[in-house]
Amino acid sequence: MVSHERVPVLIVGAGGAGLSLSLLLRQQGIASLLVERRSDVSWFPRARNLNFRTLEVFRGLGLEAQVIAAGNHVSRMFRKETLVSPEQEEFPAVDEATRIVDHPEILTPEPVAWYCPQSRLEPLLLAAASERGVDVRYNTEVVSLTQDEQGVVATIHDHKNGSSSVIRADYLAACDGAHSRIRDALGIKAEGLGVLDEHYIFVYFRADWGELVRGYEADAILIDQPGLRGFFLITDSDRGMLLLQYGPSQEGSAQGYTAERCHDLVLKGIGKPDLAVEIVDIAHWQPAQLVAEHFQRVGFCWSAMRRTLCRPNWAWA
C-alpha cells in the first residue's frame, strides 16, 4: 500500500547543500523532507575546503565552532617520492595563492578558507539536522515527479524496506549534484564546453596508515616517481584515496585499472610493501564544463548543479 504525505519542501540529495538547506529551512520554521539515494553519509574526502562565506552561513546556524573543530588549516600540498620518504617539497600555500585581500580580517571574522571535507562535514550536519527534528531518509530515491497548480507530486521509494510513498510538496529543491536526475527529468539542458579530454582514477582504500600520515591529515601529497604520479588524500587513520591522472592513448582505458593494479600502485606510492591494503572502490572521472540553462522553475529549484571546469592538476615544475 502506498502512503501519502504532505510537506512544504521536498529536498533531494543529502550532501552538504541538501543538509544545509534543511537546517536553514528549519531555522525559519519551515518543515522539509530530505531524501538521499545513498545508504549513509559519504566517507570520501571530497569538497575539501570551505570558503569564509560558507563558514558565515554555519555561524548563523550555530554550527561554526563544530565545523572549525572538525576541520583544520586549509590543505597544504607536498611532493614526495613515496609517502614514507623523509625528503619532501612543499608547494606554495593554498591560502596565500587564493588570498583576495591583504587584510581578510576586515572582510570577515572567519578564516578565508578552512579544510573540512565532505567526510567530516556531512556527519556533523546530519547530527544537527536529526537533533533539530529534520526528517532525513537515506536509501530513498525519487522515482517519479509531476507538477500541478498546487505544487509538486513526487513518488519516493525506500530501497531498504521496499515501501513507496507519494509526497505532495509546495516546492522541490534538487541538491543532487552535477549529474542531477531531477534536472534531467525536468528536461533542463546544460551548456558549456562539455566533457574535457582529461581522465582520472579515484582509488579508495583502507590501510592502517595512521602513523604514516600523522601531521598531514588535511593535506594533499603528490607522489612523483617513475611509473607513478598521483595524489594521496587522507580520510582518517585507516582510509584514504589515491588520485591518478592518465592518458587513454598512452596507458590504456579505465578498465585497465583493476583492483590488483590499483593495490600495487597504492603500495608503491606508500613505499611500505608489507602494509595491508584493501581496495574499497575504483571510480573513473572526467571533468566537464557544463552549467544548467537556468536554476529555477515554478515549484522547483536546484543547487550544486554546475559541473565546473577542472584543469590538469599536474602543473608542478
Side-chain angles (χ1 to χ4, degrees), residues 43-44 46 199-206 240-246 252-266 277-286:
W43 68 266
F44 299 139
R46 297 168 177 161
H199 303 263
Y200 299 86
I201 295 289
F202 293 83
V203 182
Y204 301 99
F205 63 89
R206 294 183 185 274
M241 178 179 79
L242 176 61
L243 170 60
L244 304 165
Q245 185 181 26
Y246 72 99
S253 67
Q255 288 69 33
Y257 284 84
T258 63
E260 181 178 3
R261 180 183 181 187
C262 290
H263 178 274
D264 292 343
L265 288 172
V266 170
V277 171
E278 174 194 357
I279 302 301
V280 177
D281 193 18
I282 303 168
H284 170 251
W285 177 67
Q286 283 186 262

Side-chain angles (χ1 to χ4, degrees), residues 209-268:
W209 69 340
E211 290 298 320
L212 304 179
V213 299
R214 189 181 305 278
Y216 296 98
E217 290 86 353
D219 302 322
I221 302 171
L222 172 62
I223 302 300
D224 193 359
Q225 58 173 279
L228 176 59
R229 187 171 170 82
F231 278 102
F232 275 125
L233 302 176
I234 297 95
T235 299
D236 52 34
S237 62
D238 64 358
R239 295 180 297 182
M241 178 179 79
L242 176 61
L243 170 60
L244 304 165
Q245 185 181 26
Y246 72 99
S249 60
Q250 299 174 347
E251 302 167 39
S253 67
Q255 288 69 33
Y257 284 84
T258 63
E260 181 178 3
R261 180 183 181 187
C262 290
H263 178 274
D264 292 343
L265 288 172
V266 170
L267 279 179
K268 184 177 181 180

Side-chain angles (χ1 to χ4, degrees), residues 92-155:
V94 176
D95 53 350
E96 290 297 324
T98 57
R99 181 183 292 273
I100 55 177
V101 293
D102 290 334
H103 299 282
E105 68 276 5
I106 298 174
L107 182 65
T108 177
E110 309 296 344
V112 174
W114 191 250
Y115 171 81
C116 190
Q118 188 174 2
S119 54
R120 299 188 189 183
L121 183 62
E122 278 191 22
L124 187 158
L125 295 178
L126 176 60
S130 300
E131 181 181 309
R132 300 177 191 189
V134 177
D135 189 354
V136 184
R137 304 181 193 179
Y138 285 86
N139 284 301
T140 303
E141 182 177 8
V142 173
V143 295
S144 68
L145 59 90
T146 58
Q147 183 181 16
D148 58 27
E149 296 179 353
Q150 298 177 334
V152 178
V153 178
T155 300

